[in-house]
Amino acid sequence: MLVRELAEDGYSGVEVRVTPMRTEIIIRATRTQNVLGEKGRRIRELTSLVQKRFGFAEGSVELYAEKVANRGLCAIAQAESLRYKLLGGLAVRRACYGVLRFIMENGAKGCEVVVSGKLRGQRGKAMKFKDGYMISSGNPVREYIESSVRHVLLRQGCVGIKVKIMLDWDPKGRTGPKTPVPDVVTIHNPKDEDESGLAKPYVGKELEM
């Protein structure tokens, strides 16, 4: 429901927190001002809509809007951006390369964009655009890969968009996962060793005898 409603405002996911008192729904978007509306009117409309649609009691659900820290690393925002580029009549290749470059400039480790459908002519085909490093198996996929799928209804038919972004490792956990990829091997410099096999003691100043 929110995907359809907030597509133009850079909707990029939702987080639901359930407390004994009420349910908090945090909407992540790139343009939070549009989500809130004039004097918070739109968010109030959305709140009542969600409450009636999902059968919440009066006043038991609250909606909040949160700004996305880096929209270049958000797959949902980029899929929507590509969708509007294609709806605007931009050439598929140009639109995809533009999105690809924007993602990589924002600090992603790698990305992949797949557009499939009737791109030119009557026969459907898929175009794949890749850049950087991408993993597709194992547990790190759950933490490192952000993916999103969108459909674009063009004049000649429906075109599918798939965006996959591989985040970079961030020890602070702000722009990427804290846990490093398990297959990365760090080789440290060897310590200086004497002929006897024992490490040399560190000597500061020579002692005066």
Side-chain angles (χ1 to χ4, degrees), residues 39-65:
K39 294 178 185 170
R41 182 180 161 193
R42 193 171 184 199
I43 199 115
R44 285 199 298 274
E45 284 173 4
L46 284 169
T47 307
S48 68
L49 207 67
V50 167
Q51 182 199 312
K52 287 167 186 158
R53 167 79 173 72
F54 298 100
F56 285 104
E58 189 84 39
S60 70
V61 65
E62 289 238 356
L63 262 71
Y64 300 101

Side-chain angles (χ1 to χ4, degrees), residues 51 101 133 172 182:
Q51 182 199 312
R101 199 174 76 241
Y133 177 64
K172 289 175 184 169

Side-chain angles (χ1 to χ4, degrees), residues 20-33:
M21 296 291 287
R22 59 169 185 248
T23 306
E24 294 177 353
I25 299 170
I26 298 155
I27 300 165
R28 279 198 287 272
T30 53
R31 288 191 285 275
T32 46
Q33 207 52 51

Side-chain angles (χ1 to χ4, degrees), residues 107-123:
K109 192 100 179 271
C111 58
E112 182 182 285
V113 177
V114 182
V115 180
S116 63
K118 285 204 282 187
L119 306 173
R120 285 199 359 222
Q122 279 301 299
R123 196 174 187 108

